[in-house]
Amino acid sequence: MSVRYPRGLIWLHWLTLLAVIAAVLIVLRREWVESRALRAQLLDVHRQIGLLVLVGTATRLAARRLFARPPAPLVTGIHLLAVRLSHGGLYLLLIGLPLLGVLATQAGGHPVTLLGLPLPTLVGHDRDLAERITEVHEVGAWLLLALAGLHAAAAIWHHAVLRDDTLRRMLPLRWLKNTV
């Protein structure tokens, strides 16, 4: 078996996935709700989760850089380039989408807080700007889901077709590592 990812990076990876899924499900569920108050609450929860994704991703990138370097890739050449580009795209979206959400919220005339703490205002009230940023945010969210799906498919392909340890190196629980 090859070298595993550091435990903290593994848990941040899977917690980020769960948070992204929760944010998507909440915002999609919001579309089916008629109550304005409940819609507002769901959007606020979506925003909080998005900000936690931002904090978690920043933490993960800092940890990778400072002390918990991931193991060497199991691939080379064009395959390695594809891995690096896809991971770069995922990180860009995991940071960019929450920031776009903050900008859209503030441009919509609403303050942004993280767990009750106010965040600095980055943009003033501008309804048209809020709508444009929201559109970019939505397109980016679908792109994130597509890229995450490709990421998962690649992990499964590595496991089932290439029969290497790519998937096992990132699994969080020991019993999963032995059964997959």
Side-chain angles (χ1 to χ4, degrees), residues 3 14 21 26 35 43 57 64-65 69 75 78 85 91 102 138 160:
V3 176
W14 292 104
I21 290 170
I26 287 167
S35 164
L43 186 56
T57 301
R64 283 177 58 133
R65 175 74 56 199
R69 293 204 169 264
V75 295
I78 193 77
L85 287 174
Y91 282 123
V102 167
E138 289 174 6

Side-chain angles (χ1 to χ4, degrees), residues 73-138:
L74 298 177
V75 295
T76 59
I78 193 77
H79 192 160
L80 180 59
L81 177 62
V83 167
R84 289 191 171 147
L85 287 174
S86 65
H87 284 154
L90 285 167
Y91 282 123
L92 179 67
L93 290 165
L94 290 169
I95 289 172
L97 287 172
L99 291 176
L100 286 171
V102 167
L103 293 174
T105 300
Q106 291 178 344
H110 307 286
V112 179
T113 63
L114 174 59
L115 304 175
L117 300 172
L119 297 183
T121 300
L122 303 173
V123 63
H125 184 240
D126 182 335
R127 182 74 54 196
D128 291 334
L129 179 61
E131 288 178 17
R132 289 193 307 270
I133 294 171
T134 299
E135 288 174 9
V136 173
H137 180 78
E138 289 174 6

